[in-house]
Amino acid sequence: MSTSLLFVKTQECLYVKQESIQTGEHGKEARATRLITERASRRIGVMAFDLALQRPRKQVTIIHKSNVLSVTDGLFRETVRAVPGLPEVQGRFNDVTIQEQLVDSAVYRLFREPQIYDVMVAPNLYGDIISDAAAALVGSLGLVPSINAGDSFVMGEPVHGSAPDIAGQCIANPLASIRSAALMLRRLGYSQGADRLDKAVDEVIREGRVLTPDLGGKSKTQEVLDEVLRRL
């Protein structure tokens, strides 16, 4: 956990899927509604700061494009920046450093100098793009885990989602799913079990003997899973 990059994102932005299309004077015109609320921005901001508190560097970088989208990204930026001053947090984020980065330059710097980041927080669309881009830094989308966390539930899933292009070939990398289970356990308070899962996965990757094709190996999905289970 302490040496990894964490990325948190809201479930709003363009993903509210309010789209329309109509025919105008010059042909078809498509529009999408982008929703950013103070409530959701504050909630994801508090989560980002809480996560940062658990890490050595204690740094949060707000990703936005408020120089262009001054209203929507402006609200997101201002709301997250205001989190440490909320009465309900009672100064518990005083030790957390706040940074900002425009989303386009953030992607560039992520590839050039990923070490400058710790916890990154962004609206949904930016989060989807950057989290997939970040997977290139570790070698494969098949390694990157995620969780969807609410007030009363948590659900783990790989960042890559499904892989219909390789369905039925038994070569999908199971390690992102396993790491997602570890994140889920850690979120639920079972840190010891999460550490065991992460350690087993790390050992399999370092040895490099049993890996799926996306990591340059020749093993099947079940073989990789069995190897992780053996090390547990």
Side-chain angles (χ1 to χ4, degrees), residues 176-197:
S177 294
I178 298 171
R179 284 202 185 279
S180 296
L183 282 179
M184 188 166 60
L185 287 171
R186 186 168 283 110
R187 180 73 181 177
L188 292 170
Y190 300 102
S191 296
Q192 187 174 10
D195 290 343
R196 287 185 62 205
L197 277 176

Side-chain angles (χ1 to χ4, degrees), residues 112-203:
R112 295 279 296 185
E113 42 187 344
Q115 71 277 3
I116 70 170
Y117 297 114
D118 185 21
V119 176
M120 305 171 76
V121 59
N124 202 313
L125 180 61
Y126 305 156
D128 259 11
I129 294 170
I130 294 180
S131 59
D132 279 19
L137 297 175
V138 295
S140 172
L141 267 174
L143 293 176
V144 185
S146 74
I147 57 169
N148 297 290
D151 292 332
S152 58
F153 77 94
V154 58
M155 180 184 75
E157 64 175 343
V159 162
H160 61 70
S162 61
D165 56 317
I166 56 173
Q169 299 180 44
C170 301
I171 57 172
N173 191 337
L175 298 181
S177 294
I178 298 171
R179 284 202 185 279
S180 296
L183 282 179
M184 188 166 60
L185 287 171
R186 186 168 283 110
R187 180 73 181 177
L188 292 170
Y190 300 102
S191 296
Q192 187 174 10
D195 290 343
R196 287 185 62 205
L197 277 176
D198 283 335
K199 182 175 182 292
V201 170
D202 288 345
E203 289 175 354

Side-chain angles (χ1 to χ4, degrees), residues 49-225:
F49 279 89
D50 273 331
L51 288 169
L53 273 182
Q54 302 169 29
R55 298 161 67 85
R57 291 179 59 190
K58 296 179 172 54
Q59 175 184 297
V60 170
T61 304
I62 306 170
I63 307 299
H64 60 85
K65 191 68 176 175
S66 63
N67 59 326
V68 177
L69 301 169
S70 58
V71 176
T72 49
D73 273 16
L75 176 61
F76 179 82
R77 171 186 174 272
E78 293 164 7
T79 303
V80 176
R81 282 198 71 94
V83 163
L86 294 173
E88 56 266 34
V89 304
Q90 298 181 340
R92 75 173 186 264
F93 300 138
N94 289 345
D95 293 334
V96 178
T97 302
I98 304 176
Q99 304 285 345
E100 292 186 31
Q101 194 76 52
L102 297 178
V103 62
D104 42 0
S105 59
V107 174
Y108 173 79
R109 298 193 72 185
L110 183 65
F111 283 105
R112 295 279 296 185
E113 42 187 344
Q115 71 277 3
I116 70 170
Y117 297 114
D118 185 21
V119 176
M120 305 171 76
V121 59
N124 202 313
L125 180 61
Y126 305 156
D128 259 11
I129 294 170
I130 294 180
S131 59
D132 279 19
L137 297 175
V138 295
S140 172
L141 267 174
L143 293 176
V144 185
S146 74
I147 57 169
N148 297 290
D151 292 332
S152 58
F153 77 94
V154 58
M155 180 184 75
E157 64 175 343
V159 162
H160 61 70
S162 61
D165 56 317
I166 56 173
Q169 299 180 44
C170 301
I171 57 172
N173 191 337
L175 298 181
S177 294
I178 298 171
R179 284 202 185 279
S180 296
L183 282 179
M184 188 166 60
L185 287 171
R186 186 168 283 110
R187 180 73 181 177
L188 292 170
Y190 300 102
S191 296
Q192 187 174 10
D195 290 343
R196 287 185 62 205
L197 277 176
D198 283 335
K199 182 175 182 292
V201 170
D202 288 345
E203 289 175 354
V204 170
I205 294 172
R206 288 194 185 103
E207 185 179 87
R209 183 177 56 84
V210 183
L211 297 173
T212 44
D214 60 301
L215 292 175
K218 297 181 180 180
S219 301
K220 299 293 187 181
T221 303
Q222 188 64 47
E223 292 172 332
V224 177
L225 176 59

